[in-house]
Amino acid sequence: MIQIICAGWIFGISFLGKNIHPFFQLSTISFYLFATLLVVEFVIHLRISNNYLRLMNALFACAIATVLGMSFSNHQLLERLKYRVEKTDDVEIVVAVNSLNQLKPETIQQQLVVLNQFEKPIIWNSSLKIEQHEALEIGQYYRLQGKVSPIHSYATLGVFDIEQWYIQQNWMGNFQIKAVEKLSEQDIKTLGYTAYVKQNQSFLAKFKRWVELQRLDIRHFIQKQPIQHKGLTLALLTGDESFLNKQIEAQFQRFGMSHLLAISGPHVLIFACMMCWLIHQIIQKYCPQIYLKIPKQYLLIFPFLSCVFLYCAYVGFEIPALRTLLVTLLASVWILFKFPIKALTLLLLSASLLLIFDPFSILSAAFWLSYGACFVLLRIYQTIQEQNFESRNITEKVIQALKILVESQWKIFVALFPLMIIFFKQIAWITPLSNLFAIPFIGLIIVPLDVLAGMSYFLFEPLSQLFFQINNLCIALLLSIMNGIYAILSPQLIPIAMNFWMMLCVILSFIILFLPQGLVPKFWAAICLLPFILSENTKHPFELSILDVGQGQSIFIQAQNHTVMVDTGGYYDEEKFSVGQQIIQPFLSVKGFRTVSHLFLTHLDQDHSGAFSYLKNKLNFEQVYSNEQLDISPSFKFEYCQKGQVFHINPHIKIEVLSPKAEQLAVAKFDKNENSCVLYVQVLNAKNYQNYLLMGDAGWQTEYEILQAYPNLKVDVLVLGHHGSQHSSSYAFLEKIRPKMAIVSAGFNNRYGHPSAIVETRLNELNIPFLSTIENGTIQFSQNKKGDIYINKERDQRLWLKRNNLRS
């Protein structure tokens, strides 16, 4: 029963941030009522013998736990959202610095406890330019001046959600520091924050700051060492990535080994086992009689737990470390009270407890990957227990151990495949092979040496230096092996395109494969073929998405398996942030597409076509159109877009080019905006929104020419020209076509002030509804099987994405 309750609780927490039915948003009284019912159900369960009633009872208990989890997590989220920054502003703040900073190439990232913005202290993430200011000191108070801004994500399906990440970290805003003034503790009390000072002087608060100072000391010590791989050494020891080389990160990503760069459960256990082994040796040598009074497993439990707790604190209580702490704590309780240890129960119970203390952990990929890997290892362990090793010789045992190592790696790779796709949209095919040598090498050699070096630092620095140098040689050997494999095999990350239904079927098939023998027939795993059978039926007859790509434009049109993309968007510096890699490709992966039938680049401005330079090497574009010649390989089919072209995507969907005229193409290079490709999309069997006009960056001149050439043009949805600039969307143009809906694609806090207040005034005077990707994220027009087209806004999908005044 405890497993069912924990599974229901975890499942309920996983709905964190989703818009749930009001029935599930329970008050505190309802919470206790359901808790009471849960206890009653548990008692009833003990008295029921009928299997059917037991099943019903288990389902009811799981349902109650799920409702409680949903209510608890969303209540916690709503409380947290009260304190986030809603608009950009210049402010003066009073702060406390209690945590270690992170060093970046040009800035220092620092968490600040802000005391003077709300009725309680909140946390902002700040950035400090290295050349202008010194780093803020741990344990000190400051008065800071600077600019605070809300956290803003590209709200597009499949894209990494920065707002979610900030909510998970409990960071309520971004702060750019401009001026720094150090304050004394007495100054803080004078300002009226005596209660916080008292709280900050508690034993636990002092202990946390002491740990952070030790992490800072070890960073400085490693920085001074004459070793090459300081970043990897520091990251594996304390989780601090301040010195981590971007090339090393990329190399580990290509090999599917990024998880090895972070602190994991084995790191913690290695340290605890080392310390307990040392304690055991001391006891055995000087006072072995203690074991006659207290058995070894009981005597070493407390130092073992203390070491696990200390190391978890040392690495900042990261999720894998917390998981290890909770599992070891629960296992110790089981041992002390002589309960039989059930590994699956321990795993589920530790996850449930972690989510009670921090329900936002459910948002982390580390949570799912960590517990997912543990579940697979548990199944492997259960398989090993069924085998007889006693009668085998050493050679047979070694061979069997190698078989288990190989089996564990491919099983973990296969089992975590869906999670890797969900969170990262790509996979490294070489992962099982690379983990075969990397996990033993890092876990049995590099990490122990790193831990020994870290421990020696507090005892005898010359010994610590020796261990760090030996460890550096081992890291160099590991990287040399990886470089050799890369030279031979050239492993790369492979983007995977799977839609929701395909992913669901794959997950179900893996669950069937990993269930214990006898529960269900293994051939049922053939369900994984269903995505390819059902994929046609799960795609909308028509879907047009105005993607949130920031200050730019990209529109994706889907009609069953036919795909059209209008523009790709583009960051002003695609090397710094690639819209193609970070937004367009993940979106298409989630949609299940790697091929685009038609790509229209309305013109070659960076914000409309900049991402194409990346995408042309990653996706298959069957036909490319633009108003200028593109620098592309001969294998691409290219054609100029010009007035009069008509494309029938299917019998019900037609795309027509309204501008530019053929004779205007010669000057398109010199007047890109007015010669943008203007597209008219018609969905002949649709209701509500049937006709779409996509203006590119076209302005008043083009609008006039379109009205002259197409006086009876019917428009239901108008994507405003030039991101809502005042030099587009003239009053006469809007008055004539009278769309049911106007859409603008623009970036948060953009320097051009798009969309223009003048354009918004025109729309309001004409009673034309208006949506912007700034407030709504990706805006999607989807047709159901009845022909109705309805609007979806990406920022309606999660509570933390719903924002107001994002254009301020």
Side-chain angles (χ1 to χ4, degrees), residues 104 354 360 402 471 663 732:
K104 302 295 180 182
L354 175 59
F360 300 95
L402 290 174
N471 190 50
E663 58 269 24

mmCIF file of all heavy atoms in Angstrom, residues 104 354 360 402 471 663 732:
data_model
loop_
_atom_site.group_PDB
_atom_site.id
_atom_site.type_symbol
_atom_site.label_atom_id
_atom_site.label_comp_id
_atom_site.label_asym_id
_atom_site.label_seq_id
_atom_site.Cartn_x
_atom_site.Cartn_y
_atom_site.Cartn_z
ATOM 1 N N LYS A 104 31.514 33.398 -14.524
ATOM 2 C CA LYS A 104 31.274 33.284 -15.954
ATOM 3 C C LYS A 104 32.395 34.013 -16.685
ATOM 4 O O LYS A 104 33.205 34.714 -16.062
ATOM 5 C CB LYS A 104 29.908 33.885 -16.315
ATOM 6 C CG LYS A 104 28.734 33.243 -15.580
ATOM 7 C CD LYS A 104 28.548 31.787 -15.952
ATOM 8 C CE LYS A 104 27.368 31.173 -15.209
ATOM 9 N NZ LYS A 104 27.206 29.738 -15.535
ATOM 10 N N LEU A 354 11.273 13.780 -0.648
ATOM 11 C CA LEU A 354 11.964 14.880 -1.323
ATOM 12 C C LEU A 354 10.966 15.891 -1.871
ATOM 13 O O LEU A 354 11.161 17.107 -1.767
ATOM 14 C CB LEU A 354 12.836 14.325 -2.449
ATOM 15 C CG LEU A 354 13.541 15.342 -3.351
ATOM 16 C CD1 LEU A 354 14.453 16.246 -2.545
ATOM 17 C CD2 LEU A 354 14.330 14.628 -4.446
ATOM 18 N N PHE A 360 9.179 21.441 -6.100
ATOM 19 C CA PHE A 360 9.663 21.971 -7.369
ATOM 20 C C PHE A 360 10.770 21.103 -7.969
ATOM 21 O O PHE A 360 11.145 21.296 -9.128
ATOM 22 C CB PHE A 360 10.156 23.409 -7.179
ATOM 23 C CG PHE A 360 9.075 24.335 -6.692
ATOM 24 C CD1 PHE A 360 8.908 24.603 -5.340
ATOM 25 C CD2 PHE A 360 8.171 24.889 -7.579
ATOM 26 C CE1 PHE A 360 7.897 25.424 -4.882
ATOM 27 C CE2 PHE A 360 7.152 25.726 -7.142
ATOM 28 C CZ PHE A 360 7.012 25.987 -5.788
ATOM 29 N N LEU A 402 31.345 -8.503 -15.952
ATOM 30 C CA LEU A 402 31.420 -7.703 -17.172
ATOM 31 C C LEU A 402 30.102 -7.759 -17.941
ATOM 32 O O LEU A 402 29.644 -6.752 -18.503
ATOM 33 C CB LEU A 402 32.566 -8.200 -18.057
ATOM 34 C CG LEU A 402 33.981 -7.934 -17.532
ATOM 35 C CD1 LEU A 402 35.027 -8.603 -18.417
ATOM 36 C CD2 LEU A 402 34.239 -6.435 -17.441
ATOM 37 N N ASN A 471 45.257 13.079 -9.845
ATOM 38 C CA ASN A 471 43.901 13.088 -10.407
ATOM 39 C C ASN A 471 43.873 13.777 -11.763
ATOM 40 O O ASN A 471 43.171 13.352 -12.682
ATOM 41 C CB ASN A 471 42.950 13.797 -9.438
ATOM 42 C CG ASN A 471 41.496 13.637 -9.826
ATOM 43 O OD1 ASN A 471 41.033 12.540 -10.074
ATOM 44 N ND2 ASN A 471 40.774 14.736 -9.878
ATOM 45 N N GLU A 663 9.152 41.801 -61.457
ATOM 46 C CA GLU A 663 10.095 42.879 -61.797
ATOM 47 C C GLU A 663 10.712 43.533 -60.564
ATOM 48 O O GLU A 663 11.704 44.272 -60.667
ATOM 49 C CB GLU A 663 9.406 43.948 -62.664
ATOM 50 C CG GLU A 663 8.183 44.575 -62.032
ATOM 51 C CD GLU A 663 6.881 43.856 -62.387
ATOM 52 O OE1 GLU A 663 6.951 42.640 -62.727
ATOM 53 O OE2 GLU A 663 5.817 44.496 -62.321
ATOM 54 N N ALA A 732 -5.843 52.706 -43.228
ATOM 55 C CA ALA A 732 -6.645 52.402 -44.417
ATOM 56 C C ALA A 732 -6.609 50.909 -44.739
ATOM 57 O O ALA A 732 -7.627 50.309 -45.116
ATOM 58 C CB ALA A 732 -6.125 53.211 -45.601
#
